[in-house]
Amino acid sequence: MLSGHHSGGGPRRPGILILFAALVGATTLAYVTLPRKNAEMPVQQTATDLPPLRQSLFPAPPVAKQVPVEHVRHGETWVDPYDWLRDKDYPKVDDAEVLDYLKAENAYTDTVLGKEEDGLRASLFAELKGRVKEDDTGVPYPRGAYIYQSRFAAGQDHPTFVRRAKGEAEGSEKTILDVNELAKGKDFYDVEALEPSPDGRYLAYSFDDNGSENFTIVVKDLTSGEFVGEPIPGTSGSVVWAADNKTLFYVLKDESQRPKQVMRTVLGAKADAGTLVYEEQDPSWWVGIGESQSGRFIEIGSGTLVSSETLLIPSDNPTAKPKPVIPRRENHLYSVADQGDSLWILSNDKHLNFRLLKTPINDWSEKAWTEVMAGSDRQYLTGLLALKDWLVVFGRQDGTQQVWVLDNKGGSHTIAFPDAAFAVSGMNNEEYETGTLRVRYHSLVTPPTVFDYDLAARTLTTRKVQEIPSGYDPSLYTSERLMAPARDGTPIPVSIVYRKDVKKDGKAPMHLYGYGSYSIAMEPGFSTNRIGLLDRGFVYAIAHIRGGEEMGRPWHDAGRLTNKPNTFNDFLDVAQFLVSQGYTSPGQISIEGGSAGGTLMGAVLNMASDGMFAGAVAHVPFVDVLNTLFDDTLPLTTGDYPEWGNPNIKEIYDVMKTYSPYDNVTKRPYPPILITAGLNDYRVTYWEPAKWAAKLRVYKTDDNVLMLKTEMSAGHGGSTGRFDKLKEVALSQAFILRAHGMSK
């Protein structure tokens, strides 16, 4: 896959969560050599006397009408005054009253923070853009008979993909897809998958032009430049070729946006001529497709957060019936990788943190399994990459990422990386017969670096380091890994970064980020977008709270279902710990989270002591928890039950009603709040943040500003263009600075 995007499938809330971690994750696609210049001071704005974020200092905000609707649940009556904000024709949203309200909220946000082309937002955008190399290129990588590469040109929002035949000189590349041309005239355009056929003649790709994550698949003949067959709409975005260069597999979604049916078609066929290969009958399970590293198998994966099943189809026999490796059973997760005459299996059957098994390729039965790496409390195995002579295992050791390498003679070693805490992942490993592993590596102070690792020589070769044109000197910054005691005594990891000249006297402003759901870890990675905050004296912290996977699979279980309140308590306890250690003070902490991290924001704002937080940013927040999870007609609701629980069960309901952010808004002070939403978002529907904002505005007893910004042509991940994304970051950072009393 050329794009590096996630493929369709998976639970509702995480979606494209890294896009909401606007200040956590890096946004540049390609990497170049890093100059070691001194960090420059940020761009200064012209206006310096901006008013504090007090509602009374601005024109009156919009006030949504109230139309009470009653819901009776487990004998209790709940009144929802803002149910009308859900357009009755959803997913079409054309109710004039609803749209007028959202537009009024957007206008109010512009009134308070200024328009994106003016003042602080404009100067922040210029500052952020100055850290992006505009004419950038990715590291070339082989696939089949060609060398592929991604490129950005100056001023362009989207990448161009090029290739040259192996053996041809650099500079002879030809464009195979220019996303900028495809995106012309569109407010939103996202390319999900780019898959060349095995012989390289055809390119199948999928696109979404409205943010709904309903992808259309098209096939282009790279010889003639013509499109082949009809576009296939309504897919999850994934596409896989069989070995014959003419058969394709894809996944169709159902009416609830759940990836449900694996289909097979042939080149030139009509869009509705696909053959059903597999259909997932369980409404709580999702289905996805892939290709094994060797190219021998089409993989069908189906599952939930806690159970999974993998079925294989020989790529050279695409009409064969899919065969399950291990038939599904409750609370069993596994993944597979084929290698020669063996099949590798990661399974959590004996230990939640998984063990590594090996079995003959022609006998997958449990009696044939051999354990190679046992399950361990300290060791968490998360992924496999099977090359011809090497097996690469990704995971964590004592909470820190680790990469193990196993050779075909029974030997093993771990890859040594420069930093003590870091983020690492495989990238563009498209070949099977290779002795080189490519990884993307970064830390809180180390910019993203592309390494090629020689598996035999055990050496890392730097291919590219992300360049920061405006300058960056890593020696000016320091990072730490702390353990904050939770109220139940559990140590909670905290990653923290700041400039070395910041004093621990409690006076520094702090920005604290959290997520804590869906077994997803917030890695201690680098962000160019974060530099401006650090250079303004901020301490930046990531709370690795329960509900993620930072400390292994049990870490997730300790923050889901009836344990979900641990997630919110952990975040508050981390904030209090950082105050006690002198990093900051109450009232000096701004907080941020997106999607399920928005649930976190809503819950802790209802729980926190008055004056604890300076401000909060909640991106596409899942806050209407009870209403959404009681409504199984909504997209993906049943698939969320393994994470949050089914509120039709009284025990789950009793816990859920204690933290559901929308339902727990009360008459009390709240800090300044910025809420974002996407009109076409099906993961967290637009009315959730809209209802929450409307209710908060009525109930809060303070004079602090509350803003709702809805992207009217985007979905869960916001904008797709690299500079449009920076405008969204500039909006958030303008709010953060203003919340801390800074005007520049």
Side-chain angles (χ1 to χ4, degrees), residues 154-191:
Q156 289 187 339
D157 248 329
H158 300 279
T160 297
F161 296 93
V162 301
R163 75 176 185 186
R164 57 183 166 86
K166 287 180 178 177
E168 290 185 353
E170 291 187 32
S172 61
E173 294 84 2
K174 294 181 175 59
T175 297
I176 59 173
L177 196 73
D178 185 347
V179 183
N180 298 282
E181 287 296 320
L182 299 173
K184 277 186 177 178
K186 298 182 181 296
D187 294 328
F188 183 97
Y189 197 89
D190 180 34
V191 171

Side-chain angles (χ1 to χ4, degrees), residues 315-509:
S315 187
D316 59 3
N317 186 16
T319 61
K321 183 180 179 180
K323 180 183 177 183
V325 177
I326 306 171
R328 67 179 64 183
R329 58 180 186 258
E330 190 174 355
N331 295 319
H332 181 218
L333 290 167
Y334 73 95
S335 59
V336 304
D338 68 287
Q339 183 187 62
D341 58 3
S342 299
L343 189 72
W344 295 94
I345 303 172
L346 278 185
S347 169
N348 73 344
D349 61 341
K350 302 294 186 184
H351 196 289
L352 282 174
N353 282 342
F354 293 83
R355 60 179 180 142
L356 177 64
L357 307 162
K358 188 176 185 180
T359 192
I361 195 71
N362 56 4
D363 184 359
W364 307 339
S365 62
E366 191 165 351
K367 61 180 173 55
W369 296 355
T370 300
E371 184 177 89
V372 179
M373 294 177 69
S376 166
D377 291 342
R378 296 180 56 200
Q379 190 171 281
Y380 177 36
L381 310 181
T382 61
L384 298 174
L385 177 65
L387 307 176
K388 182 176 180 293
D389 297 315
W390 306 89
L391 181 73
V392 181
V393 182
F394 294 90
R396 316 180 80 85
Q397 182 83 21
D398 297 328
T400 301
Q401 284 192 291
Q402 188 82 65
V403 182
W404 294 268
V405 177
L406 284 65
D407 62 36
N408 57 10
K409 296 180 176 62
S412 66
H413 69 274
T414 57
I415 301 179
F417 290 107
D419 297 287
F422 53 86
V424 64
S425 58
M427 68 174 296
N428 297 142
N429 292 291
E430 304 288 352
E431 302 279 86
Y432 177 63
E433 297 189 22
T434 180
T436 300
L437 172 71
R438 179 164 295 174
V439 296
R440 181 177 186 265
Y441 172 90
H442 52 123
S443 75
L444 288 169
V445 296
T446 304
T449 302
V450 178
F451 285 127
D452 278 349
Y453 181 71
D454 187 313
L455 295 161
R458 305 187 184 184
T459 55
L460 287 168
T461 300
T462 302
R463 295 300 306 273
K464 281 193 175 179
V465 180
Q466 181 176 335
E467 179 182 349
I468 303 170
S470 60
Y472 173 72
D473 182 353
S475 68
L476 298 177
Y477 309 89
T478 188
S479 64
E480 299 177 47
R481 178 84 160 185
L482 310 174
M483 299 302 284
R487 62 194 64 185
D488 64 2
T490 302
I492 310 300
V494 186
S495 296
I496 193 166
V497 60
Y498 53 93
R499 283 184 64 123
K500 292 178 179 178
D501 53 5
V502 169
K503 297 179 181 179
K504 296 179 187 177
D505 57 5
K507 297 180 180 180

Side-chain angles (χ1 to χ4, degrees), residues 537-736:
F538 275 78
V539 175
Y540 189 96
I542 305 170
H544 303 290
I545 51 186
R546 282 174 283 187
E549 68 164 12
E550 285 88 341
M551 301 300 289
R553 192 74 188 181
W555 201 247
H556 175 226
D557 289 347
R560 70 180 182 99
L561 302 177
T562 56
N563 291 326
K564 195 63 201 172
N566 285 336
T567 302
F568 316 127
N569 292 334
D570 288 355
F571 190 84
L572 291 170
D573 293 343
V574 165
Q576 191 60 54
F577 170 77
L578 293 172
V579 168
S580 72
Q581 298 302 301
Y583 289 97
T584 189
S585 299
Q588 286 279 75
I589 307 170
S590 54
I591 59 176
E592 184 176 14
S595 199
T599 320
L600 172 69
M601 296 297 102
V604 300
L605 287 173
N606 288 330
M607 298 164 61
S609 59
D610 183 20
M612 183 64 179
F613 298 127
V617 184
H619 298 287
V620 291
F622 172 43
V623 285
D624 197 10
V625 176
L626 282 175
N627 283 325
T628 294
L629 294 182
F630 265 113
D631 188 353
D632 60 9
T633 69
L634 286 174
L636 321 180
T637 288
T638 56
D640 268 340
Y641 289 162
E643 177 69 21
W644 307 93
N646 182 346
N648 291 291
I649 300 170
K650 183 66 162 56
E651 181 188 14
I652 296 292
Y653 166 78
D654 285 341
V655 175
M656 195 176 287
K657 71 179 183 180
T658 67
Y659 68 77
S660 176
Y662 179 66
D663 299 292
N664 283 281
V665 170
T666 187
K667 289 188 177 297
R668 59 160 294 166
Y670 288 88
I673 302 172
L674 172 64
I675 304 167
T676 70
L679 190 66
N680 298 325
D681 186 354
Y682 82 94
R683 296 179 183 268
V684 177
T685 48
Y686 75 88
W687 62 80
E688 291 205 33
K691 289 168 61 177
W692 184 44
K695 190 173 183 179
L696 278 167
R697 188 167 281 134
V698 169
Y699 275 76
K700 67 190 190 70
T701 59
D702 53 82
D703 189 34
N704 293 319
V705 162
L706 168 73
M707 291 168 285
L708 169 67
K709 178 69 165 67
T710 304
E711 292 295 335
M712 305 301 283
S713 59
H716 199 58
S719 302
T720 54
R722 58 176 177 160
F723 299 128
D724 286 338
K725 287 186 189 305
L726 292 181
K727 292 176 181 177
E728 295 174 359
V729 177
L731 173 71
S732 296
Q733 291 197 358
F735 168 79
I736 292 166

Side-chain angles (χ1 to χ4, degrees), residues 80-133:
D80 185 354
Y82 301 108
D83 181 79
W84 68 271
L85 283 167
R86 174 180 174 177
D87 194 310
K88 64 182 183 302
D89 294 326
Y90 182 82
K92 180 187 292 185
V93 185
D94 56 6
D95 185 301
E97 193 171 16
V98 171
L99 292 173
D100 286 346
Y101 171 71
L102 297 178
K103 291 174 183 176
E105 289 283 9
N106 285 352
Y108 180 70
T109 299
D110 287 345
T111 297
V112 175
L113 294 179
K115 295 183 178 180
E116 67 179 31
E117 64 270 16
D118 298 321
L120 182 57
R121 287 174 66 182
S123 66
L124 285 169
F125 172 72
E127 177 185 329
L128 293 161
K129 189 176 180 182
R131 299 193 186 101
V132 176
K133 182 172 173 58

Side-chain angles (χ1 to χ4, degrees), residues 105 107 192 247 256 308 632 724-725 737:
E105 289 283 9
E192 173 77 358
T247 303
S256 295
S308 67
D632 60 9
D724 286 338
K725 287 186 189 305
L737 294 180

